[in-house]
Amino acid sequence: MYDNDLDNNNTSSGVTGSESQNSQESTEYRYTSGSMPYNDNSYNSSYNNNAWTSNNGGYYSNTNYSNTTGNTNYNKKKNKTDKKGIGKRIAAIALSAVLFGVIAGGTMYGVNYAANKINPVNNNSNVEIPIVSSSVSSTSGTVNDESSAYDVKMDVAAVANAAMPAMVALQGTTTVSGNSSSIFGYGQSYEATTSGTGIIVGKSDTELLLLTNAHVIDGVSNLKCTFVDGESVNCTVKGSKSDKDIAVVAVNLSDIKSSTINQISIAELGDSDDVTLGQEVVAIGNALGEGQSVTNGIISAMNRSITVNNVTFDGLFMTNAAINSGNSGGALLNADGRVIGINFAKTSEDGVEGMAYSIPVSNVKDLINSLMNRETRTKVADSEASYLGISGVDITSTISQYYKYPQGVQIRSVASGSAAEKAGLGQYDIIVSFDDESISSMSELQNTMQYYKAGETVTIKYYHPEGTQYVLKSVDVTLGKKN
């Protein structure tokens, strides 16, 4: 029923599962988080991880690690529209199975719960932390109740000084697999340090909550945040949404010194819908992993779209404020100190300057609040790791647009007797939700499952091919245990 021929614009190479797409034009973008291999003074070359790797859970990565810049490079590619039937389109992106089952291991994830909803700037415990924007208004004297901050000249120093206590530097480590061209040798791996930025946006009775990019914390171990006074504290990922590149990180209030509490503040999220072309802005971030720095510029374009790592982001701000490696997750601020954007990417082509991109906060406010209000789960022990029993491939936003598929994880095979088989999941079904958490990639599914024990029952939403269309279905799955 399904044709195994491949379209000219999409090819797969054997069991590696690597994909390539021909294109007339390409523009290269990179996330503005930093990644540096260990002992970075010893080597002066780039290392490429561009394969399906079973030790990383069998998902595809396309990450260039460079110990001279620490930047991550991604390609944007334009594709033609294909109007072929669903059967042929399904087989066209079929890749060989490399993983039977998704099992636990990785960074913290969370799920929704009903009680104790958190407002991004709500101080609902007895720990008092000031809010940034009120400090800017009283400091700069440029804003009042009857006028707009955009009508006056921005006081960059006032905005920066008031906002800095709400910024944190994020650091962690990730394991990078070597390849045949690496000096580390084929099949070997090494530790790389990562850096990014976080914004303090709220707290509960027990946790301080930080906003950042999903790509800053995905696959990162030993995550720490450093506050304005230089104190570092362990933190965990409360929730993450890769296709929006948004994550919320939690820090236990009990782990923060009282002297640090007295020096930090909570950033206030502004209304990015009110932003105007040419408006002055300030960007703050952990550039090059060397601590917070400040740049300024203007909103140079609005409602822009870019594709990074096969995910398309729409409705973005473009700014000429300098954004560098390590700035990912940092704040783009207006004249009254409110966060109007989350900095996350820049154009990396030679000869191109002043083209950095921010996610408007109004586009993701509901998501941020949802992530903040999730229950914080802890990683389960290996002996309790859950097992679904599938192998799958990512239906990225590019593939989704090209083949008109739902975006998610397409099942390529189901293990006999597995939880997936018992629940009725089958080949070509596309998983889009796991226990009410949106799923857009195999790595996202793996990251989520790391915090679920074998024997737990979850609801999985998926699209099932029926005739010439996909139909959304839902099924309860009791997770198995890997033998």
Side-chain angles (χ1 to χ4, degrees), residues 25-102:
E25 306 174 44
S26 66
T27 302
E28 187 175 351
Y29 300 95
R30 65 164 178 257
Y31 287 136
T32 50
S33 61
S35 178
M36 299 286 288
Y38 74 92
N39 193 17
D40 55 61
N41 292 325
S42 302
Y43 305 103
N44 185 28
S45 57
S46 296
Y47 311 101
N48 180 53
N49 178 26
N50 190 12
W52 282 69
T53 53
S54 58
N55 61 323
N56 283 335
Y59 59 88
Y60 185 78
S61 63
N62 186 19
T63 306
N64 293 326
Y65 295 88
S66 171
N67 63 306
T68 55
T69 63
N71 296 329
T72 305
N73 297 320
Y74 301 87
N75 290 329
K76 173 188 178 185
K77 299 192 176 182
K78 299 181 179 179
N79 301 286
K80 299 179 181 178
T81 302
D82 189 347
K83 302 192 180 290
K84 297 181 181 179
I86 187 170
K88 186 168 184 177
R89 296 200 306 270
I90 290 173
I93 55 93
L95 302 174
S96 299
V98 293
L99 175 71
F100 263 116
V102 182

Side-chain angles (χ1 to χ4, degrees), residues 446-464:
Q446 291 172 306
N447 287 340
T448 304
M449 287 189 64
Q450 295 169 119
Y451 304 95
Y452 288 80
K453 296 180 180 180
E456 288 192 67
T457 299
V458 299
T459 298
I460 290 180
K461 294 180 181 178
Y462 65 101
Y463 281 91
H464 180 71

Side-chain angles (χ1 to χ4, degrees), residues 36-38 46-48 65-66 174-178 182 184 188-192:
M36 299 286 288
Y38 74 92
S46 296
Y47 311 101
N48 180 53
Y65 295 88
S66 171
T174 186
T175 301
V176 181
S177 297
S182 170
F184 293 99
Q188 295 183 348
S189 61
Y190 61 95
E191 287 292 309

Side-chain angles (χ1 to χ4, degrees), residues 16 18 37 87 113 179 198 266 289 360 365 376 417 445 462:
T16 63
S18 62
Y113 67 104
N179 56 35
I266 295 174
K365 267 189 177 180
T376 302
L445 178 59
Y462 65 101

Side-chain angles (χ1 to χ4, degrees), residues 331-407:
L332 193 69
L333 302 155
N334 65 14
D336 58 4
R338 291 183 172 88
V339 179
I340 57 171
I342 304 102
N343 302 321
F344 84 116
K346 67 182 296 184
T347 304
S348 59
E349 290 184 339
D350 291 340
V352 178
E353 299 292 341
M355 292 180 65
Y357 296 86
S358 295
I359 302 168
V361 293
S362 294
N363 294 0
V364 290
K365 267 189 177 180
D366 289 344
L367 173 61
I368 294 169
N369 282 322
S370 174
L371 296 177
M372 290 172 71
N373 283 291
R374 289 179 180 173
E375 176 188 358
T376 302
R377 283 179 170 260
T378 57
K379 179 183 175 182
V380 303
D382 290 343
S383 61
E384 299 176 307
S386 58
Y387 177 71
L388 184 57
I390 67 165
S391 66
V393 295
D394 295 352
I395 304 298
T396 64
S397 59
T398 300
I399 294 174
S400 176
Q401 293 171 14
Y402 192 89
Y403 292 104
K404 309 305 178 186
Y405 288 169
Q407 188 174 344

Side-chain angles (χ1 to χ4, degrees), residues 14 52 88-89 111 165 173 247 299 334 406 439 469:
W52 282 69
K88 186 168 184 177
R89 296 200 306 270
V111 297
T173 60
I299 298 292
N334 65 14
I439 298 297
Q469 62 182 350

Side-chain angles (χ1 to χ4, degrees), residues 85-355:
I86 187 170
K88 186 168 184 177
R89 296 200 306 270
I90 290 173
I93 55 93
L95 302 174
S96 299
V98 293
L99 175 71
F100 263 116
V102 182
I103 56 176
T107 54
M108 185 73 64
Y109 214 88
V111 297
N112 291 318
Y113 67 104
N116 299 322
K117 295 298 182 182
I118 304 166
N119 184 284
V121 294
N122 181 34
N123 295 326
N124 58 347
S125 73
N126 56 8
V127 178
E128 293 298 327
I129 302 176
I131 297 172
V132 167
S133 63
S134 59
S135 301
V136 177
S137 299
S138 61
T139 303
S140 66
T142 61
V143 182
N144 58 52
D145 293 338
E146 303 299 328
S147 66
S148 167
Y150 317 140
D151 296 332
V152 295
K153 181 69 175 178
M154 172 179 279
D155 187 338
V156 174
V159 171
N161 290 332
M164 196 64 76
M167 305 299 151
V168 301
L170 295 172
Q171 303 90 21
T173 60
T174 186
T175 301
V176 181
S177 297
N179 56 35
S180 57
S181 63
S182 170
I183 62 172
F184 293 99
Y186 183 81
Q188 295 183 348
S189 61
Y190 61 95
E191 287 292 309
T193 59
T194 66
S195 62
T197 308
I199 309 166
I200 302 174
V201 289
K203 67 182 181 63
S204 67
D205 290 337
T206 58
E207 295 175 327
L208 188 70
L209 302 173
L210 317 175
L211 173 65
T212 188
N213 290 134
H215 77 263
V216 170
I217 51 80
D218 283 347
V220 173
S221 303
N222 306 313
L223 189 63
K224 293 180 180 293
C225 72
T226 302
F227 295 104
V228 65
D229 64 347
E231 289 292 327
S232 293
V233 181
N234 291 328
C235 48
T236 56
V237 179
K238 194 173 183 72
S240 174
K241 190 72 169 63
S242 296
D243 64 340
K244 298 296 183 182
D245 205 15
I246 294 296
V248 170
V249 175
V251 181
N252 290 329
L253 287 173
S254 59
D255 292 338
I256 308 175
K257 294 180 179 179
S258 57
S259 58
T260 300
I261 290 287
N262 292 333
Q263 296 189 55
I264 63 177
S265 61
I266 295 174
E268 186 172 355
L269 304 186
D271 185 355
S272 59
D273 292 338
D274 289 341
V275 171
T276 59
L277 189 66
Q279 175 183 322
E280 291 184 285
V281 289
V282 168
I284 301 180
N286 179 26
L288 303 182
E290 296 184 355
Q292 306 296 352
S293 60
V294 179
T295 59
N296 70 309
I298 61 170
I299 298 292
S300 49
M302 302 172 66
N303 199 30
R304 291 298 175 90
S305 297
I306 62 172
T307 299
V308 188
N309 196 26
N310 288 324
V311 178
T312 299
F313 300 92
D314 299 312
L316 304 176
F317 293 144
M318 187 169 75
T319 178
N320 65 346
I323 304 293
N324 294 293
S325 175
N327 275 100
S328 279
L332 193 69
L333 302 155
N334 65 14
D336 58 4
R338 291 183 172 88
V339 179
I340 57 171
I342 304 102
N343 302 321
F344 84 116
K346 67 182 296 184
T347 304
S348 59
E349 290 184 339
D350 291 340
V352 178
E353 299 292 341
M355 292 180 65

